[in-house]
Amino acid sequence: MRKVDIRSKCRVNSNREMDTFVGLRCNDGDISINFPLGYHISEDDNELRKDIMLLLTTLSANTERKESEILKQGNAFDEVEFPLQSYMYLIKDFFVRGYYKEQEVLYKVAKSGKINWNRTIKTQKPYVQDMDVFYLDFVTKKNSVKENELITLIHEYCVYESFERIGWLYTEMMPKKPVIVKQERVFCSVLKDKIANTFNDKNRMLFRHMLAIIDFEGDKDSDKNYRYGTYRFEYIWEKMIDKVFGVENKADYFPKTTWYVNGSKYDNASLEPDTIMLYGTDVYVLDAKYYKYGVTGKTWDLPESTSINKQITYGEYIAKEYKFKKKHGENMKVYNAFLMPFDSLKSKYPDNANMLKVGEAVSNWKDNTEEYQKIQGILIDVKTLMSINVRQEMKEIEKLAKLIEN
């Protein structure tokens, strides 16, 4: 296995770099692990491995496109991956079950052993004495492991490839080299047949992951150039914010517009806020901004006028529509906030709080007397948000609501 100094391969996206890729990447055999803006990398190597696993599981849970593509020229895909989940599955399965080996059932005539009565009755001569029937010989059953079955050799190949690619995330151990030379068409044919004719769920899942690895391994450059991640982590930031803080039926809160032309009605696409959060009787319109302010502290890295005006529109629509007061009560208040990433362990931020308010934005075309007319700037710790990864965390919702209200 290649020796990998993990720490030297890790980097956090900064405000000065044009490369926005987040995830695991290999360029010409050189591995790098790229964390999102504001992520705090642990000082301890064991914790650093956990950081990497958190990054990979976050990408897996929040990216929709699951394609095996080698790293080609240009950014052809916003989200790309090699079969990382399959490599991880094979390594974990190998630690638990070892190599996959088929069981061969052998039958023989013997005086003792596990008797197969059906075969014994059909093939062996019974003896009768005093109206009792008995047998002197039995057909016995024995399970034998088929050590050199082709599926076992393919599994050995896939396990070795998995350790070669990402085994360094877990251990310095390396399994034995496979004795079989890769034959892509043969391997794929055998695996597809096994998937179609296997009824054990664990084994079927194993064969599917093996097939994903063989499909990817079929590319001649896949050992030197591959990636698992995204160039658009802002979409993952939005999804995480919406998952942890938001309601599922946010479409109910979208303001809509319509054109009337020549007697016909044409509905436009709705304005869609990133997240609608509810706490008590109040409504919070949250805009997830993967902006650099939490890293740079520079005001030009804060959301611009178009975003501010859009938030005011969202808030005004909800505050003035009677159906929302009917739903949430006459005392309903509407709040607005931008949520931006930061590293809470940086010394310039007090108390290591995983949420901070840094200011508020207002417009000059409103009197700014309503809560929704003042958009709060909130920083959210990146690692904390990635670690939560659940639908609606009530403790975090309560904490954010109080921070915005204050």
Side-chain angles (χ1 to χ4, degrees), residues 86-301:
S86 295
Y87 291 128
M88 292 171 67
Y89 185 93
L90 257 75
I91 290 173
K92 292 176 181 178
D93 183 78
F94 176 73
F95 282 143
V96 174
R97 300 200 294 168
Y99 290 116
Y100 175 82
K101 293 179 180 178
E102 300 239 289
Q103 297 286 324
E104 182 178 26
V105 180
L106 301 176
Y107 296 96
K108 66 177 181 177
V109 178
K111 300 292 183 183
S112 62
K114 188 174 182 180
I115 301 171
N116 184 294
W117 284 108
N118 188 40
R119 286 176 179 253
T120 298
I121 292 169
K122 287 181 178 180
T123 62
Q124 300 304 303
K125 181 181 178 180
Y127 293 86
V128 179
Q129 184 177 7
D130 298 331
M131 302 301 292
D132 291 327
V133 178
F134 62 93
Y135 292 86
L136 296 177
D137 297 301
F138 310 97
V139 177
T140 61
K141 175 182 175 183
K142 181 181 179 182
N143 290 327
S144 176
V145 175
K146 300 165 76 173
E147 293 284 352
N148 295 316
E149 186 72 8
L150 182 55
I151 188 65
T152 300
L153 300 180
I154 297 172
H155 186 225
E156 290 176 359
Y157 174 85
C158 291
V159 168
Y160 185 84
E161 288 298 319
S162 300
F163 274 87
E164 182 70 17
R165 290 298 179 90
I166 66 163
W168 46 270
L169 281 174
Y170 300 89
T171 177
E172 291 187 358
M173 184 201 95
M174 193 67 184
K176 65 182 181 180
K177 287 192 174 184
V179 297
I180 195 171
V181 177
K182 181 176 68 175
Q183 302 174 55
E184 185 184 350
R185 292 178 65 182
V186 174
F187 286 9
C188 288
S189 176
V190 170
L191 288 167
K192 288 176 181 178
D193 180 69
K194 287 294 181 184
I195 292 168
N197 296 288
T198 298
F199 301 99
N200 181 294
D201 289 340
K202 281 188 177 180
N203 290 340
R204 192 187 303 116
M205 181 67 71
L206 175 64
F207 298 148
R208 284 174 176 166
H209 284 296
M210 289 167 62
L211 183 60
I213 289 171
I214 297 302
D215 280 343
F216 181 73
E217 287 293 321
D219 194 285
K220 62 184 177 65
D221 294 323
S222 64
D223 61 330
K224 292 185 177 181
N225 297 289
Y226 54 86
R227 64 190 178 202
Y228 182 88
T230 178
Y231 286 94
R232 305 298 299 271
F233 193 80
E234 62 266 31
Y235 296 145
I236 293 181
W237 181 249
E238 291 172 9
K239 289 178 182 178
M240 290 192 296
I241 294 291
D242 197 40
K243 184 188 294 184
V244 173
F245 299 105
V247 296
E248 293 187 6
N249 60 330
K250 65 178 181 179
D252 295 346
Y253 297 84
F254 293 173
K256 299 175 176 61
T257 60
T258 303
W259 274 101
Y260 292 91
V261 178
N262 296 326
S264 297
K265 177 183 175 182
Y266 301 93
D267 291 329
N268 293 318
S270 302
L271 280 172
E272 300 184 8
D274 290 339
T275 297
I276 297 295
M277 183 179 85
L278 303 179
Y279 181 70
T281 61
D282 298 332
V283 180
Y284 302 77
V285 186
L286 309 179
D287 190 7
K289 292 293 189 186
Y290 186 63
Y291 282 21
K292 301 172 184 176
Y293 179 81
V295 175
T296 67
K298 305 296 184 183
T299 54
W300 54 75
D301 289 323

Side-chain angles (χ1 to χ4, degrees), residues 3 31 49 52 158 166 216 226 273 277 303 320 335 361 382:
K3 297 290 184 180
I31 295 171
R49 278 188 163 85
I52 297 171
C158 291
I166 66 163
F216 181 73
Y226 54 86
M277 183 179 85
K320 293 189 175 182
Y335 296 90
V382 180

